[in-house]
Amino acid sequence: MFTLGIDVAKDTLEAALFDGRKFKTKTFRNNAVGIASMQDWLIGAGAAGCAVGMEATGSYSEAVACALHDAGYRVSVINPAQIAAFVQAELGRSKTDALDAKRIARFTALHQPAPWQPPAQNVRVLQALVRRLDSLKDLSQQERNRLDTAHLSVQPSIRAVLETLEAQIRTLERTIQDHIDQDPDLGRHRDLLESIPGISQRTSAVLLSHLHALVRCR
């Protein structure tokens, strides 16, 4: 029986496939193409649907966890402290991405951690929208910072970019609110959150996107 351990970084996925005796390792990009390539690699190795373990790394691990879960793999997203304790118990000191992936695979094989449950599809959409909005706001702030010290010759270009970004930000904010309005569960939880003094529409959307484990909208 195969077990897959994945060491997740911002840009890469270090995969270690364990058959109980030896490992096969490979590195993939942490994006849609890389995740698809990993699934092809697993199928080619005869490990489709195997147990998968990875440390919880926030947004970096969520895409691969969701993709593998949706493809029928038994995914466990593990508290990094559990892996650290496992390594310490084995007196392991060396640390590389490949070694970490192997340790995660062995931990998953030995301890069979509880399967992870992904957020519901409506929450996944909300998370994507909120993250995109955050990115656009960061870009807008960067352009505003440039405008403060930019030469007169490039200020019109910066202002044009800012206008485009602000238009996109307004559109996304409307899209987020429409998405929440059209989903009864999200709308109900949004109304509860906004009944708390100081919780704005923007804050409630962020909370709904991050607290899916508690809200568990269905």
Side-chain angles (χ1 to χ4, degrees), residues 111-161:
H111 296 282
Q112 299 182 4
W116 171 78
Q117 290 299 316
Q121 187 60 35
N122 57 350
V123 180
R124 293 194 208 181
V125 172
L126 180 59
Q127 288 174 333
L129 291 170
V130 168
R131 287 172 186 157
R132 180 57 181 164
L133 180 61
D134 286 342
S135 295
L136 291 180
K137 288 189 172 183
D138 286 343
L139 290 172
S140 178
Q141 187 58 55
Q142 290 170 20
E143 289 297 284
R144 290 184 187 281
N145 293 341
R146 292 188 184 99
L147 187 61
D148 290 339
T149 57
H151 190 274
L152 288 174
S153 62
V154 299
Q155 287 184 9
S157 172
I158 295 174
R159 289 194 176 95
V161 171

Short mmCIF file of all heavy atoms in Angstrom, two decimals, residues 111-161:
data_model
loop_
_atom_site.label_atom_id
_atom_site.label_comp_id
_atom_site.label_asym_id
_atom_site.label_seq_id
_atom_site.Cartn_x
_atom_site.Cartn_y
_atom_site.Cartn_z
N HIS A 111 0.93 6.35 11.39
CA HIS A 111 -0.07 6.89 12.31
C HIS A 111 -1.45 7.10 11.70
O HIS A 111 -2.41 7.36 12.43
CB HIS A 111 0.44 8.21 12.90
CG HIS A 111 1.67 8.04 13.73
ND1 HIS A 111 1.64 7.55 15.02
CD2 HIS A 111 2.98 8.29 13.46
CE1 HIS A 111 2.87 7.51 15.51
NE2 HIS A 111 3.71 7.94 14.57
N GLN A 112 -1.55 7.02 10.38
CA GLN A 112 -2.84 7.15 9.70
C GLN A 112 -3.65 8.33 10.26
O GLN A 112 -4.72 8.13 10.85
CB GLN A 112 -3.63 5.85 9.81
CG GLN A 112 -2.92 4.67 9.18
CD GLN A 112 -3.73 3.39 9.24
OE1 GLN A 112 -4.87 3.36 9.70
NE2 GLN A 112 -3.14 2.30 8.79
N PRO A 113 -3.14 9.54 10.12
CA PRO A 113 -3.87 10.71 10.66
C PRO A 113 -5.24 10.86 10.02
O PRO A 113 -5.49 10.36 8.92
CB PRO A 113 -2.95 11.88 10.31
CG PRO A 113 -2.11 11.38 9.18
CD PRO A 113 -1.91 9.93 9.41
N ALA A 114 -6.10 11.55 10.75
CA ALA A 114 -7.48 11.71 10.29
C ALA A 114 -7.54 12.40 8.94
O ALA A 114 -6.73 13.29 8.65
CB ALA A 114 -8.26 12.53 11.32
N PRO A 115 -8.47 12.00 8.10
CA PRO A 115 -8.59 12.65 6.79
C PRO A 115 -9.04 14.10 6.93
O PRO A 115 -9.80 14.45 7.84
CB PRO A 115 -9.65 11.81 6.06
CG PRO A 115 -10.41 11.14 7.13
CD PRO A 115 -9.46 10.92 8.25
N TRP A 116 -8.54 14.91 6.04
CA TRP A 116 -8.87 16.33 6.00
C TRP A 116 -10.14 16.55 5.19
O TRP A 116 -10.39 15.87 4.21
CB TRP A 116 -7.70 17.06 5.35
CG TRP A 116 -7.90 18.51 5.03
CD1 TRP A 116 -7.85 19.56 5.89
CD2 TRP A 116 -8.14 19.07 3.73
NE1 TRP A 116 -8.02 20.74 5.21
CE2 TRP A 116 -8.21 20.47 3.88
CE3 TRP A 116 -8.29 18.52 2.46
CZ2 TRP A 116 -8.43 21.34 2.81
CZ3 TRP A 116 -8.51 19.37 1.39
CH2 TRP A 116 -8.58 20.76 1.57
N GLN A 117 -10.96 17.49 5.64
CA GLN A 117 -12.16 17.85 4.91
C GLN A 117 -11.98 19.23 4.29
O GLN A 117 -11.72 20.20 5.00
CB GLN A 117 -13.38 17.85 5.84
CG GLN A 117 -13.80 16.48 6.31
CD GLN A 117 -14.20 15.58 5.15
OE1 GLN A 117 -14.92 16.01 4.25
NE2 GLN A 117 -13.74 14.34 5.17
N PRO A 118 -12.09 19.33 2.98
CA PRO A 118 -11.90 20.64 2.33
C PRO A 118 -13.09 21.55 2.59
O PRO A 118 -14.17 21.10 2.96
CB PRO A 118 -11.82 20.27 0.85
CG PRO A 118 -12.67 19.05 0.74
CD PRO A 118 -12.44 18.28 2.02
N PRO A 119 -12.89 22.85 2.39
CA PRO A 119 -14.03 23.76 2.48
C PRO A 119 -15.05 23.45 1.39
O PRO A 119 -14.69 22.91 0.33
CB PRO A 119 -13.40 25.14 2.27
CG PRO A 119 -12.12 24.89 1.58
CD PRO A 119 -11.64 23.56 2.06
N ALA A 120 -16.30 23.77 1.66
CA ALA A 120 -17.34 23.58 0.65
C ALA A 120 -17.05 24.45 -0.56
O ALA A 120 -16.31 25.43 -0.49
CB ALA A 120 -18.70 23.93 1.25
N GLN A 121 -17.64 24.09 -1.70
CA GLN A 121 -17.34 24.79 -2.95
C GLN A 121 -17.67 26.28 -2.85
O GLN A 121 -16.94 27.12 -3.39
CB GLN A 121 -18.11 24.15 -4.10
CG GLN A 121 -17.76 24.70 -5.47
CD GLN A 121 -16.29 24.51 -5.83
OE1 GLN A 121 -15.68 23.51 -5.46
NE2 GLN A 121 -15.72 25.46 -6.55
N ASN A 122 -18.76 26.62 -2.15
CA ASN A 122 -19.12 28.04 -2.06
C ASN A 122 -18.05 28.82 -1.29
O ASN A 122 -17.77 29.97 -1.60
CB ASN A 122 -20.50 28.21 -1.41
CG ASN A 122 -20.60 27.58 -0.04
OD1 ASN A 122 -19.72 26.83 0.40
ND2 ASN A 122 -21.69 27.85 0.67
N VAL A 123 -17.43 28.18 -0.31
CA VAL A 123 -16.37 28.84 0.45
C VAL A 123 -15.09 28.91 -0.38
O VAL A 123 -14.35 29.90 -0.30
CB VAL A 123 -16.13 28.11 1.79
CG1 VAL A 123 -15.03 28.79 2.59
CG2 VAL A 123 -17.41 28.07 2.61
N ARG A 124 -14.81 27.89 -1.17
CA ARG A 124 -13.62 27.94 -2.05
C ARG A 124 -13.71 29.14 -3.00
O ARG A 124 -12.72 29.83 -3.22
CB ARG A 124 -13.50 26.65 -2.86
CG ARG A 124 -13.19 25.42 -2.05
CD ARG A 124 -12.75 24.32 -2.99
NE ARG A 124 -13.05 22.99 -2.47
CZ ARG A 124 -12.75 21.86 -3.08
NH1 ARG A 124 -12.14 21.89 -4.26
NH2 ARG A 124 -13.06 20.69 -2.55
N VAL A 125 -14.90 29.35 -3.57
CA VAL A 125 -15.08 30.50 -4.46
C VAL A 125 -14.85 31.80 -3.70
O VAL A 125 -14.15 32.70 -4.19
CB VAL A 125 -16.49 30.49 -5.08
CG1 VAL A 125 -16.76 31.78 -5.86
CG2 VAL A 125 -16.66 29.28 -6.00
N LEU A 126 -15.41 31.90 -2.50
CA LEU A 126 -15.23 33.10 -1.70
C LEU A 126 -13.75 33.33 -1.37
O LEU A 126 -13.25 34.46 -1.44
CB LEU A 126 -16.06 33.00 -0.42
CG LEU A 126 -15.98 34.20 0.54
CD1 LEU A 126 -16.46 35.47 -0.15
CD2 LEU A 126 -16.81 33.93 1.79
N GLN A 127 -13.05 32.27 -1.02
CA GLN A 127 -11.62 32.40 -0.71
C GLN A 127 -10.85 32.93 -1.91
O GLN A 127 -9.99 33.81 -1.78
CB GLN A 127 -11.05 31.04 -0.30
CG GLN A 127 -11.49 30.57 1.07
CD GLN A 127 -11.01 29.17 1.38
OE1 GLN A 127 -10.79 28.36 0.48
NE2 GLN A 127 -10.85 28.86 2.64
N ALA A 128 -11.14 32.40 -3.10
CA ALA A 128 -10.44 32.85 -4.31
C ALA A 128 -10.72 34.32 -4.58
O ALA A 128 -9.80 35.08 -4.94
CB ALA A 128 -10.86 31.99 -5.51
N LEU A 129 -11.97 34.72 -4.41
CA LEU A 129 -12.33 36.12 -4.65
C LEU A 129 -11.65 37.05 -3.65
O LEU A 129 -11.13 38.11 -4.02
CB LEU A 129 -13.85 36.28 -4.58
CG LEU A 129 -14.66 35.63 -5.70
CD1 LEU A 129 -16.15 35.66 -5.37
CD2 LEU A 129 -14.39 36.33 -7.04
N VAL A 130 -11.64 36.66 -2.38
CA VAL A 130 -11.04 37.50 -1.35
C VAL A 130 -9.53 37.60 -1.56
O VAL A 130 -8.94 38.68 -1.41
CB VAL A 130 -11.37 36.95 0.06
CG1 VAL A 130 -10.51 37.62 1.13
CG2 VAL A 130 -12.85 37.18 0.37
N ARG A 131 -8.88 36.51 -1.92
CA ARG A 131 -7.44 36.55 -2.17
C ARG A 131 -7.12 37.45 -3.35
O ARG A 131 -6.14 38.20 -3.33
CB ARG A 131 -6.90 35.14 -2.39
CG ARG A 131 -6.83 34.31 -1.13
CD ARG A 131 -6.47 32.87 -1.45
NE ARG A 131 -6.54 32.03 -0.26
CZ ARG A 131 -6.72 30.73 -0.26
NH1 ARG A 131 -6.83 30.08 -1.42
NH2 ARG A 131 -6.78 30.03 0.86
N ARG A 132 -7.92 37.35 -4.40
CA ARG A 132 -7.70 38.20 -5.56
C ARG A 132 -7.89 39.67 -5.19
O ARG A 132 -7.11 40.53 -5.62
CB ARG A 132 -8.65 37.81 -6.69
CG ARG A 132 -8.49 38.64 -7.95
CD ARG A 132 -7.08 38.57 -8.49
NE ARG A 132 -6.91 39.38 -9.70
CZ ARG A 132 -5.75 39.74 -10.19
NH1 ARG A 132 -4.62 39.36 -9.59
NH2 ARG A 132 -5.67 40.46 -11.29
N LEU A 133 -8.89 39.96 -4.40
CA LEU A 133 -9.11 41.34 -3.96
C LEU A 133 -7.92 41.85 -3.15
O LEU A 133 -7.46 42.98 -3.34
CB LEU A 133 -10.39 41.42 -3.12
CG LEU A 133 -10.77 42.79 -2.57
CD1 LEU A 133 -11.01 43.78 -3.72
CD2 LEU A 133 -12.02 42.68 -1.69
N ASP A 134 -7.40 41.01 -2.26
CA ASP A 134 -6.21 41.40 -1.48
C ASP A 134 -5.03 41.70 -2.40
O ASP A 134 -4.29 42.67 -2.19
CB ASP A 134 -5.84 40.29 -0.50
CG ASP A 134 -6.78 40.21 0.69
OD1 ASP A 134 -7.51 41.19 0.94
OD2 ASP A 134 -6.80 39.16 1.36
N SER A 135 -4.85 40.88 -3.43
CA SER A 135 -3.73 41.08 -4.36
C SER A 135 -3.87 42.40 -5.10
O SER A 135 -2.89 43.15 -5.26
CB SER A 135 -3.66 39.93 -5.37
OG SER A 135 -3.36 38.71 -4.73
N LEU A 136 -5.09 42.69 -5.56
CA LEU A 136 -5.30 43.94 -6.28
C LEU A 136 -5.09 45.15 -5.38
O LEU A 136 -4.53 46.17 -5.81
CB LEU A 136 -6.72 43.97 -6.87
CG LEU A 136 -7.00 43.01 -8.02
CD1 LEU A 136 -8.43 43.14 -8.49
CD2 LEU A 136 -6.03 43.24 -9.18
N LYS A 137 -5.51 45.05 -4.12
CA LYS A 137 -5.30 46.15 -3.19
C LYS A 137 -3.81 46.35 -2.90
O LYS A 137 -3.34 47.50 -2.77
CB LYS A 137 -6.08 45.92 -1.91
CG LYS A 137 -7.58 46.10 -2.09
CD LYS A 137 -8.33 46.07 -0.76
CE LYS A 137 -9.78 46.46 -0.96
NZ LYS A 137 -10.53 46.52 0.30
N ASP A 138 -3.07 45.26 -2.82
CA ASP A 138 -1.61 45.38 -2.64
C ASP A 138 -0.97 46.07 -3.84
O ASP A 138 -0.11 46.94 -3.69
CB ASP A 138 -1.00 44.00 -2.45
CG ASP A 138 -1.29 43.40 -1.08
OD1 ASP A 138 -1.68 44.17 -0.17
OD2 ASP A 138 -1.13 42.18 -0.92
N LEU A 139 -1.39 45.67 -5.05
CA LEU A 139 -0.86 46.29 -6.25
C LEU A 139 -1.20 47.77 -6.30
O LEU A 139 -0.36 48.61 -6.68
CB LEU A 139 -1.41 45.59 -7.50
CG LEU A 139 -0.91 44.17 -7.77
CD1 LEU A 139 -1.68 43.55 -8.93
CD2 LEU A 139 0.58 44.20 -8.11
N SER A 140 -2.42 48.10 -5.92
CA SER A 140 -2.84 49.50 -5.90
C SER A 140 -1.99 50.33 -4.94
O SER A 140 -1.56 51.44 -5.27
CB SER A 140 -4.32 49.60 -5.52
OG SER A 140 -4.74 50.95 -5.45
N GLN A 141 -1.73 49.77 -3.77
CA GLN A 141 -0.91 50.49 -2.79
C GLN A 141 0.52 50.66 -3.30
O GLN A 141 1.13 51.72 -3.10
CB GLN A 141 -0.91 49.74 -1.46
CG GLN A 141 -0.21 50.50 -0.33
CD GLN A 141 -0.84 51.86 -0.08
OE1 GLN A 141 -2.05 51.96 0.15
NE2 GLN A 141 -0.04 52.91 -0.15
N GLN A 142 1.04 49.65 -3.99
CA GLN A 142 2.39 49.75 -4.55
C GLN A 142 2.46 50.88 -5.59
O GLN A 142 3.42 51.65 -5.62
CB GLN A 142 2.80 48.43 -5.19
CG GLN A 142 3.05 47.31 -4.19
CD GLN A 142 3.22 45.96 -4.86
OE1 GLN A 142 3.51 45.89 -6.06
NE2 GLN A 142 3.03 44.89 -4.12
N GLU A 143 1.43 50.97 -6.43
CA GLU A 143 1.40 52.04 -7.42
C GLU A 143 1.26 53.42 -6.76
O GLU A 143 1.88 54.39 -7.21
CB GLU A 143 0.27 51.81 -8.43
CG GLU A 143 0.51 50.66 -9.38
CD GLU A 143 1.72 50.90 -10.28
OE1 GLU A 143 1.61 51.68 -11.23
OE2 GLU A 143 2.78 50.31 -9.99
N ARG A 144 0.48 53.51 -5.71
CA ARG A 144 0.35 54.79 -5.00
C ARG A 144 1.69 55.20 -4.39
O ARG A 144 2.05 56.39 -4.40
CB ARG A 144 -0.71 54.68 -3.91
CG ARG A 144 -2.13 54.56 -4.44
CD ARG A 144 -3.18 54.56 -3.33
NE ARG A 144 -4.48 54.28 -3.90
CZ ARG A 144 -5.23 55.19 -4.54
NH1 ARG A 144 -4.78 56.43 -4.68
NH2 ARG A 144 -6.40 54.87 -5.02
N ASN A 145 2.41 54.22 -3.86
CA ASN A 145 3.72 54.52 -3.31
C ASN A 145 4.68 55.02 -4.38
O ASN A 145 5.48 55.93 -4.15
CB ASN A 145 4.30 53.29 -2.62
CG ASN A 145 3.52 52.89 -1.38
OD1 ASN A 145 2.77 53.68 -0.81
ND2 ASN A 145 3.68 51.64 -0.96
N ARG A 146 4.61 54.42 -5.57
CA ARG A 146 5.45 54.86 -6.68
C ARG A 146 5.10 56.28 -7.11
O ARG A 146 5.98 57.08 -7.48
CB ARG A 146 5.31 53.91 -7.87
CG ARG A 146 5.89 52.53 -7.64
CD ARG A 146 5.89 51.70 -8.93
NE ARG A 146 6.36 50.36 -8.67
CZ ARG A 146 5.58 49.31 -8.50
NH1 ARG A 146 4.26 49.45 -8.57
NH2 ARG A 146 6.09 48.11 -8.26
N LEU A 147 3.81 56.59 -7.09
CA LEU A 147 3.35 57.91 -7.55
C LEU A 147 3.95 59.02 -6.69
O LEU A 147 4.22 60.12 -7.19
CB LEU A 147 1.83 57.96 -7.51
CG LEU A 147 1.16 59.21 -8.11
CD1 LEU A 147 1.51 59.33 -9.59
CD2 LEU A 147 -0.36 59.11 -7.93
N ASP A 148 4.17 58.73 -5.43
CA ASP A 148 4.68 59.76 -4.52
C ASP A 148 6.06 60.26 -4.93
O ASP A 148 6.41 61.43 -4.69
CB ASP A 148 4.77 59.20 -3.08
CG ASP A 148 3.39 59.00 -2.47
OD1 ASP A 148 2.43 59.64 -2.95
OD2 ASP A 148 3.28 58.20 -1.52
N THR A 149 6.87 59.41 -5.55
CA THR A 149 8.25 59.78 -5.89
C THR A 149 8.54 59.69 -7.38
O THR A 149 9.68 59.90 -7.80
CB THR A 149 9.25 58.88 -5.13
OG1 THR A 149 8.97 57.51 -5.45
CG2 THR A 149 9.12 59.07 -3.61
N ALA A 150 7.51 59.39 -8.17
CA ALA A 150 7.74 59.16 -9.61
C ALA A 150 8.03 60.47 -10.35
O ALA A 150 7.52 61.54 -10.00
CB ALA A 150 6.53 58.47 -10.22
N HIS A 151 8.81 60.35 -11.39
CA HIS A 151 9.06 61.48 -12.27
C HIS A 151 7.76 61.88 -12.97
O HIS A 151 6.90 61.04 -13.25
CB HIS A 151 10.13 61.10 -13.31
CG HIS A 151 10.64 62.25 -14.10
ND1 HIS A 151 10.02 62.72 -15.24
CD2 HIS A 151 11.73 63.05 -13.90
CE1 HIS A 151 10.70 63.74 -15.72
NE2 HIS A 151 11.75 63.97 -14.93
N LEU A 152 7.64 63.17 -13.27
CA LEU A 152 6.42 63.68 -13.92
C LEU A 152 6.11 62.93 -15.21
O LEU A 152 4.94 62.75 -15.56
CB LEU A 152 6.56 65.18 -14.20
CG LEU A 152 6.49 66.11 -12.99
CD1 LEU A 152 6.79 67.54 -13.41
CD2 LEU A 152 5.12 66.01 -12.33
N SER A 153 7.13 62.46 -15.90
CA SER A 153 6.92 61.81 -17.19
C SER A 153 6.18 60.48 -17.08
O SER A 153 5.56 60.04 -18.05
CB SER A 153 8.28 61.58 -17.88
OG SER A 153 9.09 60.72 -17.11
N VAL A 154 6.24 59.82 -15.92
CA VAL A 154 5.59 58.51 -15.77
C VAL A 154 4.35 58.57 -14.89
O VAL A 154 3.63 57.56 -14.76
CB VAL A 154 6.58 57.46 -15.21
CG1 VAL A 154 7.75 57.26 -16.14
CG2 VAL A 154 7.04 57.83 -13.82
N GLN A 155 4.07 59.71 -14.31
CA GLN A 155 2.89 59.80 -13.44
C GLN A 155 1.58 59.51 -14.17
O GLN A 155 0.70 58.84 -13.61
CB GLN A 155 2.85 61.15 -12.75
CG GLN A 155 3.89 61.29 -11.64
CD GLN A 155 3.78 62.61 -10.89
OE1 GLN A 155 2.82 63.37 -11.08
NE2 GLN A 155 4.76 62.88 -10.04
N PRO A 156 1.39 59.99 -15.43
CA PRO A 156 0.15 59.63 -16.13
C PRO A 156 -0.04 58.12 -16.28
O PRO A 156 -1.16 57.61 -16.16
CB PRO A 156 0.30 60.32 -17.49
CG PRO A 156 1.22 61.46 -17.22
CD PRO A 156 2.19 60.95 -16.19
N SER A 157 1.05 57.40 -16.55
CA SER A 157 0.96 55.94 -16.68
C SER A 157 0.53 55.31 -15.35
O SER A 157 -0.32 54.41 -15.33
CB SER A 157 2.30 55.38 -17.13
OG SER A 157 2.30 53.97 -17.09
N ILE A 158 1.13 55.78 -14.27
CA ILE A 158 0.79 55.23 -12.95
C ILE A 158 -0.67 55.51 -12.62
O ILE A 158 -1.38 54.63 -12.11
CB ILE A 158 1.73 55.80 -11.87
CG1 ILE A 158 3.17 55.34 -12.12
CG2 ILE A 158 1.28 55.36 -10.48
CD1 ILE A 158 4.19 55.97 -11.19
N ARG A 159 -1.13 56.72 -12.92
CA ARG A 159 -2.54 57.06 -12.63
C ARG A 159 -3.49 56.21 -13.46
O ARG A 159 -4.56 55.80 -12.98
CB ARG A 159 -2.78 58.55 -12.88
CG ARG A 159 -2.10 59.46 -11.86
CD ARG A 159 -2.65 60.88 -11.95
NE ARG A 159 -2.06 61.70 -10.90
CZ ARG A 159 -1.00 62.47 -11.06
NH1 ARG A 159 -0.39 62.51 -12.25
NH2 ARG A 159 -0.53 63.19 -10.08
N ALA A 160 -3.11 55.92 -14.71
CA ALA A 160 -3.96 55.06 -15.55
C ALA A 160 -4.04 53.66 -14.98
O ALA A 160 -5.13 53.04 -14.95
CB ALA A 160 -3.40 55.02 -16.96
N VAL A 161 -2.91 53.14 -14.49
CA VAL A 161 -2.92 51.81 -13.87
C VAL A 161 -3.78 51.82 -12.61
O VAL A 161 -4.56 50.89 -12.35
CB VAL A 161 -1.48 51.35 -13.55
CG1 VAL A 161 -1.49 50.08 -12.70
CG2 VAL A 161 -0.70 51.11 -14.83
#
